[in-house]
Amino acid sequence: GSKGSKGCKGKGGKGGKGKGDGGRRSGRGGRRDDEDDEIEEQLKVSENSWAAQQAKRQEKIRTATEVTTGEEEQDKEIARRMKSILNKLTLEKFDDLTRQLCECGISKEAHLKILMTEVFEKATTQHHFVEMYTSLCVHFNDWCSEHLKVGKFKPVLLQQCQESFEANLKDPPKEMSPKKKASASREELEEYEEKRQRYRLRVMGNIRFIGQLLVKRMLASKFLIPCAQELLSEATPGSNSSLEALASLLTITGGEFDKMDFKYYKQLCDVFKKVEKITKDKTVESRIRFLLQDVLDLRSSGWEDNKVATKKLEAPRKLGEFEGRSN
């Protein structure tokens, strides 16, 4: 009996001890839970932490990229609309299509630059529509004055004017020597002549457009002098396209600026002195010398062209004007 009692007590004691240990383990487990909560609380990212700031930066970059991509797509669409409208531009549709251009989404200076690049390209290759494209520039200058957020028009126009002037003057086709011409094939001669004519037409178109913009005061009058001086300096015995362009520039602008009250009148007179000298230079192609002499004769007459042969080609007219003339 006593052994059984002792055995029970021993097992019971061990059992009680076991429960006690289990209780203490449970207590330690509770403390671990509290510690885990505390660690989790510490690990929570605060708004000012490095990780949070990095996350914000990444989000800003993602947002900015999305905005930039969206703006680029919008710019491409506006550029497409502008080109499409310009391709349809005629004298008959001028008012309607100009209104469409103003409403196609032009909202910043970058859009104006795209527009002016296209306008210069068209004016350079479509000589008979130079006055129409000049009128378009006058209209957009007025429009930008009313829509100041878009940007200032004339600085954009001047930059494009300078870039176009320099681009169209550079790299004239090299003159073929008599020996090379004699040995060249028919195809080579035709290719050479085509390059010369293409270069000449681009230079002439560009200068006519610049001349009209000067007359309409879209460009500062002082731009006339460096423009004329550059055309004089570009002339070479083998390439006289710049002198032909100079004759066109002076014919267009002479009546407007060849006056004593013109701020740069002295410099303009110096240009005419050089032109007169060239007319007497037998090394210059006779056609060019006659063109320049016509300019000097026009100046002597007070810029009133009474010669049928030297009157400029009539500008394009609306169909209605032809119908009126035929009656």
Side-chain angles (χ1 to χ4, degrees):
S2 62
K3 283 182 184 179
S5 174
K6 188 178 180 182
C8 278
K9 186 180 179 182
K11 287 180 183 178
K14 286 181 183 178
K17 188 178 179 181
K19 282 181 183 179
D21 290 345
R24 284 194 296 274
R25 278 198 300 271
S26 175
R28 285 197 297 272
R31 284 196 299 275
R32 277 199 297 272
D33 290 342
D34 292 340
E35 288 169 1
D36 290 344
D37 290 343
E38 187 178 341
I39 292 169
E40 186 177 343
E41 188 67 30
Q42 290 173 354
L43 288 174
K44 280 186 180 178
V45 180
S46 70
E47 290 186 5
N48 297 322
S49 69
W50 179 85
Q53 293 299 322
Q54 287 296 103
K56 285 180 182 178
R57 287 191 192 99
Q58 292 299 322
E59 182 61 30
K60 282 182 180 178
I61 291 169
R62 278 194 296 272
T63 303
T65 302
E66 289 171 4
V67 169
T68 302
T69 303
E71 285 182 355
E72 287 175 354
E73 290 302 315
Q74 187 179 31
D75 289 347
K76 286 179 183 177
E77 175 59 23
I78 291 169
R80 188 194 64 77
R81 288 180 202 161
M82 288 191 288
K83 291 177 184 178
S84 175
I85 294 168
L86 285 174
N87 285 339
K88 302 170 191 171
L89 194 63
T90 62
L91 290 172
E92 286 82 8
K93 299 176 181 178
F94 182 83
D95 292 337
D96 182 47
L97 291 176
T98 300
R99 178 185 55 77
Q100 287 183 34
L101 268 177
C102 292
E103 295 173 354
C104 75
I106 296 173
S107 59
K108 57 185 178 181
E109 198 171 278
H111 297 157
L112 290 177
K113 289 179 180 178
I114 296 170
L115 176 65
M116 282 301 98
T117 300
E118 291 297 316
V119 167
F120 261 84
E121 180 61 28
K122 289 188 172 297
T124 296
T125 55
Q126 300 174 14
H127 298 188
H128 291 301
F129 292 99
V130 161
E131 290 186 10
M132 180 182 74
Y133 289 117
T134 303
S135 296
L136 183 67
C137 290
V138 172
H139 178 89
F140 261 92
N141 183 55
D142 295 339
W143 184 78
C144 286
S145 297
E146 297 172 5
H147 300 77
L148 296 175
K149 289 182 181 179
V150 176
K152 292 183 178 179
F153 180 76
K154 285 187 177 180
V156 174
L157 180 64
L158 177 60
Q159 182 184 353
Q160 183 57 44
C161 183
Q162 290 172 326
E163 289 176 2
S164 181
F165 178 78
E166 291 166 5
N168 283 295
L169 265 187
K170 72 178 183 180
D171 298 330
K174 291 182 180 178
E175 188 72 14
M176 267 189 174
S177 65
K179 185 178 179 181
K180 193 171 182 181
K181 278 185 180 179
S183 61
S185 66
R186 182 180 173 183
E187 289 78 11
E188 286 174 332
L189 289 172
E190 286 177 353
E191 184 182 350
Y192 168 71
E193 188 57 31
E194 186 181 337
K195 282 182 180 177
R196 279 186 72 243
Q197 286 301 320
R198 192 161 56 239
Y199 174 78
R200 173 182 166 272
L201 289 173
R202 286 196 68 87
V203 170
M204 291 294 293
N206 185 245
I207 290 300
R208 285 177 184 173
F209 191 33
I210 289 173
Q212 290 291 342
L213 290 170
L214 282 163
V215 169
K216 294 292 184 180
R217 309 290 174 163
M218 287 292 98
L219 296 172
S221 59
K222 65 181 179 180
F223 187 66
L224 172 61
I225 304 304
C227 188
Q229 290 170 340
E230 183 69 19
L231 291 171
L232 281 167
S233 67
E234 284 291 321
T236 61
S239 178
N240 292 314
S241 293
S242 66
L243 290 179
E244 186 178 3
L246 176 64
S248 180
L249 178 66
L250 295 175
T251 300
I252 292 168
T253 59
E256 186 70 26
F257 298 108
D258 187 24
K259 300 170 182 175
M260 293 187 71
D261 61 352
F262 176 44
K263 187 176 179 180
Y264 306 98
Y265 180 69
K266 183 180 179 297
Q267 291 94 318
L268 185 59
C269 287
D270 290 339
V271 169
F272 282 114
K273 285 177 185 176
K274 290 178 182 177
V275 167
E276 187 174 5
K277 188 176 179 181
I278 293 170
T279 61
K280 297 171 184 175
D281 185 352
K282 301 296 183 183
T283 64
V284 177
E285 183 186 346
S286 58
R287 183 181 69 86
I288 299 297
R289 286 189 283 119
F290 293 148
L291 274 175
L292 293 173
Q293 186 58 54
D294 284 339
V295 175
L296 296 177
D297 293 344
L298 192 57
R299 189 189 188 208
S300 298
S301 69
W303 299 102
E304 290 182 12
D305 191 357
N306 298 317
K307 293 182 181 179
V308 175
T310 58
K311 279 186 181 293
K312 65 178 182 179
L313 291 170
E314 290 187 20
R317 296 192 300 273
K318 295 181 181 179
L319 289 173
E321 294 177 17
F322 285 102
E323 291 168 3
R325 177 175 282 196
S326 63
N327 292 336

